[in-house]
Amino acid sequence: MLSHISNYITAIVCLIAFFVIQRIYHKEKLKSVYTANSVEGIKWFALAILSWGVGATLNIVFTQVFNFPQTSSVVISIGVFFSLANSLFILLSIPSIQHREKRNIVIRIIERFSNKEVFIIFGGILVMIASVFLISFFTRTNGNSSNNVIWLIDIPISLVVAFALLQELNKAFKNRGMRFMYLPTFALFLLIVVAVTHRIFPIETTAKWINIELWNAIGVTTSISFKFLFVLLFIILLYSWKLLAEKEEKQSELQETIFAHHKLESENETLTVANESHLNTIKLLKKEISSLKKKNNELKSASKIELSDRQKEVLANLGICGEQKSYTEIAEAMNISVDGFQTHIYQIKKVLNISGSDGKEQLITYAKKNQLLEFATIQHD
């Protein structure tokens, strides 16, 4: 009777909870408060609740409508199937529990696989269950012992999932400053352990140690309690994300702003140093240019050709008629001796650094190019 009550409560509550959580999933999927991983976690959590509700509903149908006993291999196999499905969906929902701590090893393994691969692995486990069921169906000598073998396949998986869930919930609550939630999460783990191990003890053996009614009451109570507590904890965690997500988002924006500010300050310092370096370089270049100009002026002054008025006259007269007259003729026209004229020519060549057989032509060209013809004292015939 207690098991029937447990199934009715589980079916009604879990199916209603599933539809409520599905609405939350579709509503929050449209918002940006959660990450995509968190939204997917809500979906898997809803499916985990649905598996409990469907399993309890089918148990009612088979036991109340078709009159299968609770210890029937069919009823227990259906229970195992949906219990494993529940474990699968819980495993898929756990990675969405956000925290900054290191993940449980089971969750790290799950995260290595895609959802499709995880389904394939669990499909293999379900095939194992079907195989065990067929073997027990054809070889059983004691119905309860065969049924216990079927439950033994589910129990280790349920315990591993429960332990992983305990660790991840505690880490999530710790990161959110909700350490007071450690006690409810630990209570959830203990209730799951009691509920799943309750299934494997034969009633005949248990009756020797404890009252059957009390034993059944413990099983029903723990079964209902851990489901309700699981839903409650997950909803608390879900809405703690919602309440803290905006705060964390603002803190994240603040940190990004601070980081950007520090980055800009660093870039500004770098640019300031680079600018000062460039200014120093410009100053040095200006000094070098000024020094080079000064040296250039000094060189120009040092290399400037200074001719006496008499030398300019001689060079001008040579430029006027040097192409038609010889040195002797020009000297006579200037009323000076030939030796004196040639002495002037020699000195002019020395100043102008002119040499070679075409020295006369070079002197004439220089006189014309440098506007010295105006100093001429004789006229061209």
Side-chain angles (χ1 to χ4, degrees):
M1 182 64 182
L2 289 176
S3 62
H4 295 324
I5 295 174
S6 172
N7 288 326
Y8 278 112
I9 294 174
T10 301
I12 294 171
V13 173
C14 289
L15 291 177
I16 293 174
F18 166 74
F19 288 111
V20 172
I21 295 170
Q22 274 295 101
R23 290 196 62 182
I24 294 174
Y25 166 70
H26 290 295
K27 182 179 178 181
E28 300 300 336
K29 191 176 182 181
L30 301 175
K31 297 182 180 180
S32 59
V33 176
Y34 300 110
T35 63
N37 188 38
S38 298
V39 174
E40 286 299 305
I42 298 174
K43 179 183 72 175
W44 296 123
F45 170 64
L47 291 174
I49 301 300
L50 177 64
S51 63
W52 275 332
V54 173
T57 302
L58 289 177
N59 185 286
I60 293 170
V61 170
F62 276 91
T63 57
Q64 298 294 305
V65 178
F66 298 108
N67 296 320
F68 279 80
Q70 287 287 353
T71 57
S72 168
S73 297
V74 175
V75 174
I76 292 179
S77 296
I78 292 173
V80 171
F81 175 85
F82 282 99
S83 179
L84 278 171
N86 173 265
S87 297
L88 168 62
F89 296 136
I90 291 175
L91 277 177
L92 291 173
S93 69
I94 290 177
S96 68
I97 299 176
Q98 298 177 354
H99 58 76
R100 300 182 184 88
E101 307 292 330
K102 187 177 181 180
R103 289 285 188 184
N104 175 274
I105 185 171
V106 176
I107 306 307
R108 294 204 302 270
I109 294 172
I110 290 295
E111 289 178 334
R112 292 175 179 266
F113 299 98
S114 64
N115 291 339
K116 182 179 179 181
E117 291 170 336
V118 174
F119 274 100
I120 292 173
I121 294 171
F122 263 77
I125 296 174
L126 294 181
V127 170
M128 291 171 55
I129 293 175
S131 300
V132 171
F133 171 73
L134 291 175
I135 293 171
S136 65
F137 181 79
F138 288 107
T139 62
R140 65 181 181 177
T141 56
N142 186 311
N144 289 336
S145 62
S146 296
N147 297 342
N148 290 343
V149 170
I150 298 174
W151 275 121
L152 284 173
I153 296 173
D154 168 68
I155 289 172
I157 296 174
S158 296
L159 293 177
V160 169
V161 173
F163 183 72
L165 179 64
L166 170 69
Q167 286 193 318
E168 295 301 308
L169 286 175
N170 282 341
K171 291 173 183 177
F173 285 129
K174 176 184 176 182
N175 280 171
R176 282 159 176 75
M178 301 171 66
R179 294 176 183 268
F180 59 88
M181 296 301 296
Y182 282 4
L183 182 59
T185 55
F186 185 69
L188 172 65
F189 176 72
L190 288 181
L191 288 172
I192 293 174
V193 171
V194 173
V196 297
T197 53
H198 179 273
R199 302 165 180 168
I200 64 173
F201 291 102
I203 295 177
E204 295 80 3
T205 304
T206 308
K208 300 176 182 179
W209 303 95
I210 191 172
N211 182 273
I212 294 299
E213 292 182 359
L214 177 61
W215 177 249
N216 290 336
I218 291 172
V220 171
T221 303
T222 54
S223 178
I224 295 175
S225 298
F226 92 80
K227 291 181 177 69
F228 278 115
L229 188 56
F230 173 76
V231 174
L232 180 62
L233 288 176
F234 217 102
I235 289 175
I236 290 173
L237 188 61
L238 180 68
Y239 279 94
S240 72
W241 291 338
K242 187 171 183 179
L243 293 173
L244 297 176
E246 293 183 358
K247 181 180 177 181
E248 291 178 352
E249 186 177 356
K250 290 180 180 178
Q251 288 178 344
S252 177
E253 290 178 357
L254 177 61
Q255 289 176 352
E256 289 177 1
T257 303
I258 293 173
F259 175 77
H261 178 70
H262 289 325
K263 185 178 180 181
L264 288 173
E265 284 186 342
S266 177
E267 291 177 354
N268 183 52
E269 290 178 0
T270 303
L271 291 173
T272 302
V273 172
N275 186 46
E276 291 176 355
S277 176
H278 291 325
L279 290 175
N280 292 333
T281 303
I282 291 170
K283 289 179 180 179
L284 291 173
L285 289 174
K286 284 183 177 179
K287 287 182 179 179
E288 289 181 4
I289 291 171
S290 178
S291 177
L292 289 173
K293 283 183 177 180
K294 186 177 180 181
K295 287 182 179 180
N296 185 50
N297 292 331
E298 291 176 354
L299 289 173
K300 282 184 178 180
S301 299
S303 62
K304 186 176 181 180
I305 298 172
E306 294 290 343
L307 297 174
S308 66
D309 292 340
R310 189 64 170 170
Q311 288 173 338
K312 290 178 182 179
E313 181 187 355
V314 171
L315 194 56
N317 289 333
L318 183 63
I320 289 291
C321 54
E323 294 178 350
Q324 290 79 28
K325 293 183 179 182
S326 64
Y327 286 163
T328 302
E329 293 174 332
I330 296 172
E332 290 176 355
M334 292 179 65
N335 297 316
I336 60 175
S337 65
V338 175
D339 291 338
F341 183 84
Q342 288 184 340
T343 299
H344 286 305
I345 293 296
Y346 173 77
Q347 291 175 347
I348 292 170
K349 284 183 176 180
K350 187 176 180 181
V351 171
L352 299 179
N353 195 24
I354 293 175
S355 62
S357 59
D358 61 342
K360 183 179 180 181
E361 287 76 12
Q362 292 184 50
L363 290 173
I364 294 171
T365 301
Y366 181 84
K368 292 179 178 180
K369 284 185 176 181
N370 290 276
Q371 292 83 36
L372 296 176
L373 298 183
E374 62 184 23
F375 296 102
T377 57
I378 61 176
Q379 299 294 324
H380 176 60
D381 294 336

